[in-house]
Amino acid sequence: MTLPPADSALGKLMATLPRPGRVEWIGVRPARGVAMQALDEVVAVAGAGLDGDRYAGGSGKRGITLIQAEHLPAIAALAGLDAVEPARLRRNIVVSGLPLIALKGRRFRLGEALLETTEECDPCSMMEAALGPGGYNAMRGHGGLCARIVEGGAIRCGDALIPVIDASAD
């Protein structure tokens, strides 16, 4: 994604966030077809993924997936559920406090790790089984982001998510 110049009016608006985000939940899936395992902390491996996650040895484009905590009630409502637990949505990290979409095409710090968004994390057909009929559509627009791990490090529940405005300075 091409971002507007940082010194343009739109660039300044897109770089202004009300506060840092916060890690609310962490999960990994060790193998295909098994349930997500909730963790208090995880190690992000540069160019790969999260230690213990089945995608840890991949290309890195989808090394980590993030979803916004504030979207969980909306997904539940759209799926006709009272609530939805993060593990059902198959994302690695749930963050609160800032709009994830504002990080599209940007780098950010999550705990000790430096990440860079690569694409939106669209829902897959597994959401029909996870959320029931219409689950795929309930997730559309709420699926979060995928990111590659630029610099590895520990990520813990409660850690801050801090956008890096000038990626070349970090």
Side-chain angles (χ1 to χ4, degrees):
M1 172 185 182
T2 303
L3 296 173
D7 60 348
S8 70
L10 183 57
K12 289 176 184 173
L13 285 173
M14 289 178 72
T16 304
L17 294 168
R19 67 182 90 41
R22 172 186 152 88
V23 175
E24 299 294 339
W25 184 88
I26 301 169
V28 297
R29 182 184 306 275
R32 181 177 174 84
V34 301
M36 294 285 288
Q37 294 179 351
L39 305 170
D40 292 326
E41 74 176 81
V42 69
V43 174
V45 180
L50 299 177
D51 190 36
D53 193 70
R54 73 185 217 116
Y55 291 110
S59 67
K61 182 178 178 182
R62 198 178 167 105
I64 185 170
T65 56
L66 301 102
I67 193 165
Q68 193 170 329
E70 291 83 355
H71 286 207
L72 299 181
I75 293 166
L78 293 170
L81 303 170
D82 292 332
V84 65
E85 305 79 30
R88 283 175 96 169
L89 303 179
R90 303 163 49 100
R91 302 300 187 262
N92 298 120
I93 307 282
V94 176
V95 298
S96 65
L98 84 166
L100 276 179
I101 196 69
L103 300 174
K104 194 172 177 182
R106 299 193 178 272
R107 287 185 173 192
F108 55 96
R109 287 239 172 245
L110 191 58
E112 297 173 358
L114 177 65
L115 308 176
E116 181 175 60
T117 58
T118 56
E119 61 190 2
E120 291 185 45
C121 194
D122 295 323
C124 69
S125 62
M126 298 296 291
M127 291 302 99
E128 289 295 300
L131 300 172
Y136 173 86
N137 278 316
M139 285 278 300
R140 289 179 69 192
H142 301 286
L145 296 174
C146 299
R148 72 181 184 91
I149 302 165
V150 178
E151 295 173 7
I155 301 171
R156 297 171 186 85
C157 286
D159 278 352
L161 185 160
I162 303 170
V164 175
I165 302 308
D166 182 6
S168 63
D170 199 284

